Each structure stands twice: as structure tokens, then as C-alpha cells.
Amino acid sequence: LNMVSKLPKKIGDSLMMVVDFEAEANKLSEVKGKVYLEGDNIRLAEVISAYLPLDISMKSGSIDMKLWSQWQQAKLVSIKTDAQIKQGLFVRKGKGNVVVNHLDTQFNWAFNDSQWQLDINRFLLDSSEQGKKSSQKWPDIILSLAEVNANASTPLHLKMCAKQIDLAEVTKLIQFF
């Protein structure tokens, strides 16, 4: 299935989707395949605000993105995303705002043997405080996070390997969450 669509202006400019799934008609739980999405100038506030965690809302911003996903047994098993967010404003009650002038990111997420891993290969953030004209370019963040010993009866345990991270800068961002 291939689709290219102009979007309503309220949502964005365009979306392309390529879906390549296969399964027997009587065994849909065994669907496997790939999905590719490419979006241009998608207005995130209109699309994702209702799905953000921790009382976070997005008031403005757009994204250009390319997303590749793999599916096995009708379940998502991996995602690779290359995205640029522009002019984003995230708000959390009691925590203030995060203004994203520009975020250029590339990450991979995979789920294997009941555990997930997230590899952030690029995270270039240019942000500013709301109402100020000066901006801050953050050092690139390159890191991996993985779930360790996934078990429904135990608390979540994570391991992190950071190839490049400025903890002082990241601490400022973590306070928002």
C-alpha cells in the first residue's frame, strides 16, 4: 500500500506512507512487515497533545520526519526515526515551559525478548526561555537506554550508556519532567 496525501492546513503539509505487510487471511495475529512514514511540516500540537504524558501539552510546533518501523506477529518491534522539530512550545503545569527553536534528532527503538532499547544517535537542541530572544545551542547527546530484567512484578530497571552527554545541561531539561 502506497499513499501520498496533502494534509489539511490545520494538520500539516503532506504525509507519505508505504505499508508492506504479509500474513495469511486467517492468521492476522502473525502479520509481519514494514511501515514507512514521511511527514512534512506536521503540526504536532494538533496531532500529539492529547497523547503526551505527565500533564504535558504542546502549544505550538511542527515536525519534518521520516520513520521506518518493523512489525512481527502483529506487534511493533523496531522504529528508526529521523526528525526535526521547529518552534515547539511544551507546557507542564507547575513546571513551566520548554521552548524548542529547533531539534534535530535521530533515534532507534527496538523491542526484543520482552525488553526494549532506545539508541539516541543525534539530539541537537536549540532552545530558549519563553519571551527571550537569545537561544541556547545544547551539546549533542548520544546515548543508549535499555530495560534490564523486564518483569511485571518488579520495578522498572534501566541501564544507560552515554557516549556524549552534558549532564549539567540535561539536568535542566529533566527538571521539566
Side-chain angles (χ1 to χ4, degrees), residues 74-85:
K75 295 181 181 167
L76 182 63
V77 295
S78 71
I79 296 174
K80 179 178 180 179
T81 302
D82 194 341
Q84 294 77 41
I85 295 175

Side-chain angles (χ1 to χ4, degrees), residues 85-98:
I85 295 175
K86 299 169 286 212
Q87 305 306 315
L89 174 59
F90 295 88
V91 177
R92 182 169 180 207
K93 294 175 187 170
K95 296 286 186 168
N97 303 332
V98 171

Side-chain angles (χ1 to χ4, degrees), residues 10-98:
K10 180 179 179 183
I11 296 174
D13 291 346
S14 65
L15 181 67
M16 178 173 64
M17 179 171 44
V18 178
V19 178
D20 181 14
F21 278 154
E22 60 183 63
E24 294 181 28
N26 61 344
K27 295 183 180 178
L28 293 179
S29 64
E30 296 179 11
V31 167
K32 65 179 181 176
K34 304 172 188 175
V35 175
Y36 172 74
L37 294 173
E38 185 173 331
D40 291 322
N41 200 30
I42 306 296
R43 287 165 186 76
L44 286 174
E46 300 293 332
V47 179
I48 69 166
S49 281
Y51 304 103
L52 292 173
L54 305 172
D55 293 328
I56 296 172
S57 63
M58 186 170 190
K59 301 298 182 186
S60 65
S62 65
I63 187 170
D64 294 331
M65 60 114 190
K66 295 177 182 176
L67 180 143
W68 299 261
S69 65
Q70 295 281 330
W71 296 74
Q72 295 290 329
Q73 296 178 326
K75 295 181 181 167
L76 182 63
V77 295
S78 71
I79 296 174
K80 179 178 180 179
T81 302
D82 194 341
Q84 294 77 41
I85 295 175
K86 299 169 286 212
Q87 305 306 315
L89 174 59
F90 295 88
V91 177
R92 182 169 180 207
K93 294 175 187 170
K95 296 286 186 168
N97 303 332
V98 171

